Amino acid sequence: MSEKIHIDPELGEVLLRKSVRARRISIRIHPVRGIVVTVPYWVPYSMGVAFLASRREWAREALQRVSARDSALPEGESIESLRARAKAALPPRLRVLADRYGFKYNRVVIKHNTSNWGSCSTKGNINLNLNLMRVPEPLRDYILLHELTHLHHSNHGPKFHDELEQLLADHFSNHADDDAFQAFLPALMASRAQYPHTRVLERELKRYRLL
Ligand SMILES: [Zn+2]
């Protein structure tokens, strides 16, 4: 199986895959990878791109359906149920990450607002948004590690980004057996950004709205 990233001027990053099992070209929307075009191994990638162009309208609408799903509470979920789950899950996870990577924070509070996923005060208090329960674990960990890094650097300068990127690279290699983390690998490998983990995770997080 081989893969290639194609940048579509309108749809953005598209993953082209060659499959020995595929008999025809297909397009699907993957929750993390976005648009995935699969072509039989003997078909050139360019035919996958042409096929996508002929289904552009469908792909645009399918992408919108996926993002619409991410901007609403899941069925049966309320802010209060999110809060209860967040209180049970986020402080222990922050403790684990802080211990593993050598951070000391003061206290952690679960908040509900629509302005930020988390924050860190100069007194070393960390606030985490209950909306973090709606995003996949790698994105949740990303926010927790981002706030922990603020214990060392209170701004978003180069030193902050150097440390956070290194931390994320370590964290992803510590989760080499975890599918949720592995799903980000193709995007990470294709990224030419200076801080690929930060860039790819930030971009993915933008698909979720704070509710
Ligand atoms: Zn920050």
Side-chain angles (χ1 to χ4, degrees):
M1 181 96 68
S2 62
E3 296 184 346
K4 191 178 159 186
I5 302 274
H6 165 73
I7 308 292
D8 182 276
E10 182 201 358
L11 301 167
E13 259 180 36
V14 174
L15 182 66
L16 302 170
R17 284 167 75 248
K18 286 206 176 192
S19 161
V20 287
R21 277 177 302 163
R23 301 260 169 82
R24 55 186 180 82
I25 305 177
S26 67
I27 308 176
R28 68 195 177 96
I29 311 293
H30 185 276
V32 171
R33 298 174 131 198
I35 300 177
V36 180
V37 180
T38 304
V39 299
Y41 76 97
W42 44 270
V43 169
Y45 283 125
S46 58
M47 283 191 67
V49 174
F51 185 74
L52 176 65
S54 74
R55 300 285 190 283
R56 184 173 290 280
E57 193 68 23
W58 175 88
R60 187 169 44 226
E61 284 169 10
L63 263 187
Q64 275 165 1
R65 272 198 304 276
V66 171
S67 21
R69 190 189 57 199
D70 294 338
S71 60
L73 282 176
E75 186 104 353
E77 189 87 84
S78 66
I79 293 296
E80 283 322 301
S81 67
L82 277 183
R83 190 192 306 276
R85 291 204 295 122
K87 281 188 169 172
L90 297 179
R93 185 61 178 164
L94 188 68
R95 169 55 56 205
V96 165
L97 295 178
D99 288 349
R100 183 181 299 166
Y101 299 115
F103 290 97
K104 289 205 180 342
Y105 58 91
N106 193 13
R107 60 193 177 89
V108 52
V109 179
I110 305 305
K111 296 255 167 153
H112 179 216
N113 64 58
T114 52
S115 53
N116 55 48
W117 290 97
S119 62
C120 178
S121 79
T122 49
K123 289 181 180 145
N125 296 324
I126 290 179
N127 296 320
L128 298 173
N129 197 311
L130 54 81
N131 277 283
L132 284 167
M133 299 313 294
R134 293 172 40 232
V135 308
E137 193 186 1
L139 295 181
R140 205 179 298 157
D141 279 0
Y142 161 65
I143 295 297
L144 270 51
L145 292 170
H146 180 119
E147 300 314 332
L148 287 170
T149 305
H150 275 315
L151 294 166
H152 293 170
H153 310 282
S154 56
N155 53 28
H156 289 135
K159 285 185 178 160
F160 170 86
H161 279 295
D162 287 344
E163 181 170 343
L164 178 57
E165 181 64 25
Q166 182 60 57
L167 202 51
L168 291 168
D170 290 349
H171 193 57
F172 269 68
S173 62
N174 289 338
H175 287 78
D177 297 331
D178 188 325
D179 289 346
F181 284 80
Q182 293 312 295
F184 286 91
L185 274 196
L188 287 171
M189 275 158 35
S191 175
R192 304 212 199 295
Q194 187 183 2
Y195 302 111
H197 289 81
T198 311
R199 171 71 70 83
V200 166
L201 292 161
E202 273 294 335
R203 193 180 56 204
E204 182 59 22
L205 198 59
K206 286 206 167 56
R207 291 186 42 234
Y208 296 87
R209 257 194 329 143
L210 290 163
L211 302 175

